Amino acid sequence: MSKIIHSISHIAFLAAACPTIAHASGDGGASESSVDDDSFIIVSALRVPVEQDRISSSVTVLDQADIEREQPIAISDILLRTPAISVTRNGGYGTATSLRIRGADSGQSVLVLDGMRLADATTTDGGYNFANLLADDITRIEILRGPQSILWGSNAIGGVINVQTSRAEKPLEGRFSVEAGSRDTVSARAGIAGKSDGFDWKIAGSTFTTDGISAKSSGIEPDGYTRQSLSGSFAVQLSPNISADVRGYWADASNDFDGFSGDSPEYGLTREWTAYAGLNAEFFDGKFKNRIAILEGRTDRENYDPRRDIRQLNFDANGRSRRYEYQGSFTISPLAEILFGAEREEQRMTNGSVANNDAPYTLTPSRADTDSFFGQMRVTPIEGVTISGGARHDRHSRFGGNTVLSTGAAWSLNGGATILRASYDEGFKAPSLYQLFSQYGAANLQPEKAKGWEVGLEQSFLDRQLQLSATWYERSTDNLIDFAFCPTTGALPSECFIPGTTTTRFGYYANVKKSRTHGLELSAKLNVGGAYVQSNYSIVIAEDRTEGSNFGGRLARVPRHLANSEIGYVFPFGLTASAAVRYSGKTLDRVGGTSFLKDYWLADLRAEWALGDKLTFYGRVENLFDDMHETAGGYGSLGRSFYLGLRSKF
């Protein structure tokens, strides 16, 4: 109870300014940047706005109404309800969280927040850890599946998650939400924003705390998690053709976790921030658009073990990613446009384990730089048909050059009621700093390379009240980086010594694997009167294609079958109620192992009651039947959970 009271003080601070200040602006309930007409959805995950019916790759768009109806705590909570996405979490909120798109490893997907590519140079695979990305002030999510390195460079083998936060629509407005629930969980979010001639601004913050569950399924001691965050943006029109904008994101979190043997008092601290500054210029009546920008992201991680008698700090890591970007686009005509750009990324990391003594310790530094050039053209030669194609070249300071290609087409028929898509895309992932330079690293690693294609059909009926879609995809990946163990007998190869020393190691990272993934994504959405139904089913067949005894074996922690379904009703008096189920098939726990994690069904109930256009009460029950399941062997998952909350817009 004391934790709830303490958290309420944070809530009061976050929420107090928002309703009182923003209420002075008069009219409430600002419109959001989503489009109700599904035939005219604009997607920005392609770095420029593109109508959804002109995109050759499959894409899922979740607007603010979708997000609020699902009531997610973390971004991963809503992503796993979309086609072909699975999530592995080592316990409750705040523990290590991996997201897989079409079976691709977590480090093989890119996360973009308000145009800022978030990167964490301290992770083992160089991917973003979704553990600390909660659903703060989120109004839109775009999921672009398949290799997307043509525009987003390294890591974009599985796809791109493009997240957007709110933008002001009125001179002064605000919003806040607060909820509480099981395990002394309390979450609060608030923000104020404004827009007028020549500039707009926004600032938002959040606080979250939970007692959590035991990270190890065999444990009994709960592992808690707390997090605070701030984000903001400011844009100003300097002249009719030139504008500038700055954006920023900051989060500070503390999470308890367990050791391999079970309950332990260990905990970790994570601080991350990303800042962006850009200058935009338009010429020739807006046909030629230019953007130059610099952004920097930093992540600091520290792990502590209170059982140590001298120094409780046992791990220290600091990562930095700095990017310089130029992007240009030229609209030749309403039927043809060109996108092009150049980028430079500089990654830096220091990390190391810390001994249990009072002697000074040193962290091992590492670095890698990448220079990139890309171009893409999209044309509509005949009405309804859009063809795209492009190329990207990256030069990495360690492995040298790499080029990827992409091409595709979309055909919109019957006024957009029928859409055919087909695409071929290539992707790559540069080795992470840890894989290159840690005590298990290898400086000669080459990039992972992927080739993928897909074909899809979308069909609408009953004046778009019923929408169906089907997509078949395939992807092959070579040069996969995996951990290679050293022999226990006989002479050791040179790779089994820490580079530059005579110290042996039990293994090292190497390009030793291949994989092949193919599958089917089906989805349906029906809206009739106040009733709605939405469902999706995915087959993800992800196999190891490396020559050897495991050839044809399943990749670890990739469910072969995934399904989601939700049915709800919007009552005339403002109440919306829904029931949802989610299925995840059994998964192989570890590569080369024989242990499988069982499949499971989860059921949720959700409701919200809008009192006018300014105040909404909501609540949900997650994991209604208290199913005990694991997404990673030996790690627990949240049982039945209850939450109640309210949100308001002014």
Side-chain angles (χ1 to χ4, degrees), residues 70-88:
E70 298 298 313
Q71 304 175 24
I73 288 178
I75 292 295
S76 57
D77 291 343
I78 192 169
L79 291 176
L80 58 77
R81 298 168 192 163
T82 62
I85 289 185
S86 59
V87 172
T88 299

Side-chain angles (χ1 to χ4, degrees), residues 72-150:
I73 288 178
I75 292 295
S76 57
D77 291 343
I78 192 169
L79 291 176
L80 58 77
R81 298 168 192 163
T82 62
I85 289 185
S86 59
V87 172
T88 299
R89 190 160 60 200
N90 293 359
Y93 288 112
T95 56
T97 303
S98 299
L99 180 141
R100 292 176 173 83
I101 304 176
R102 292 179 174 174
D105 286 343
S106 187
Q108 296 176 331
S109 296
V110 167
L111 173 69
V112 181
L113 176 65
D114 285 338
M116 303 179 295
R117 175 172 170 166
L118 300 191
D120 186 351
T122 67
T123 59
T124 301
D125 61 6
Y128 184 77
N129 182 4
F130 280 81
N132 287 328
L133 188 64
L134 303 190
D136 304 332
D137 197 38
I138 303 299
T139 58
R140 187 176 176 88
I141 302 173
E142 300 170 352
I143 306 160
L144 198 61
R145 297 177 180 83
Q148 303 295 330
S149 289
I150 180 70

Side-chain angles (χ1 to χ4, degrees), residues 120-124 129 255 257 266-271 299-306 308 311-319 349-357 361-364 434 438-440:
D120 186 351
T122 67
T123 59
T124 301
N129 182 4
N255 71 287
F257 59 89
E266 295 174 86
Y267 65 95
L269 303 179
T270 303
R271 293 171 294 274
T299 304
D300 298 323
R301 299 183 185 277
E302 297 171 352
N303 290 346
Y304 293 85
D305 188 347
R308 286 188 165 200
R311 177 183 280 145
Q312 295 186 356
L313 175 68
N314 61 10
F315 177 75
D316 192 355
N318 307 278
M349 180 183 72
T350 59
N351 77 312
S353 299
V354 183
N356 185 21
N357 56 47
Y361 66 92
T362 60
L363 299 178
T364 303
Y434 187 88
S438 72
Q439 61 178 322
Y440 308 109

Side-chain angles (χ1 to χ4, degrees), residues 76 87-100 106 129-131 212-218 221-225 255-260 262 557 589-590 597 629-638:
S76 57
V87 172
T88 299
R89 190 160 60 200
N90 293 359
Y93 288 112
T95 56
T97 303
S98 299
L99 180 141
R100 292 176 173 83
S106 187
N129 182 4
F130 280 81
I213 61 171
S214 173
K216 295 290 285 187
S217 55
S218 60
E221 178 192 41
D223 293 306
Y225 173 59
N255 71 287
D256 300 333
F257 59 89
D258 289 332
F260 291 108
R557 297 178 183 174
D589 188 34
R590 301 183 188 280
L597 305 177
H629 60 283
E630 295 181 350
T631 59
Y635 290 94
S637 58
L638 294 173

Side-chain angles (χ1 to χ4, degrees), residues 369-389:
D369 302 328
T370 307
D371 296 310
S372 310
F373 303 90
F374 63 89
Q376 185 181 57
M377 187 171 188
R378 183 172 285 104
V379 298
T380 304
I382 60 176
E383 183 178 359
V385 176
T386 301
I387 300 173
S388 60

Side-chain angles (χ1 to χ4, degrees), residues 1 27 35 86 98 247 274 310 345 393 413 417 435 448 536 586:
M1 181 62 69
D27 183 31
V35 182
S86 59
S98 299
R247 311 165 204 156
T274 300
I310 299 178
E345 181 179 45
H393 181 77
L413 302 163
Q435 292 166 339
E448 301 176 347
N536 61 70
K586 69 176 184 178

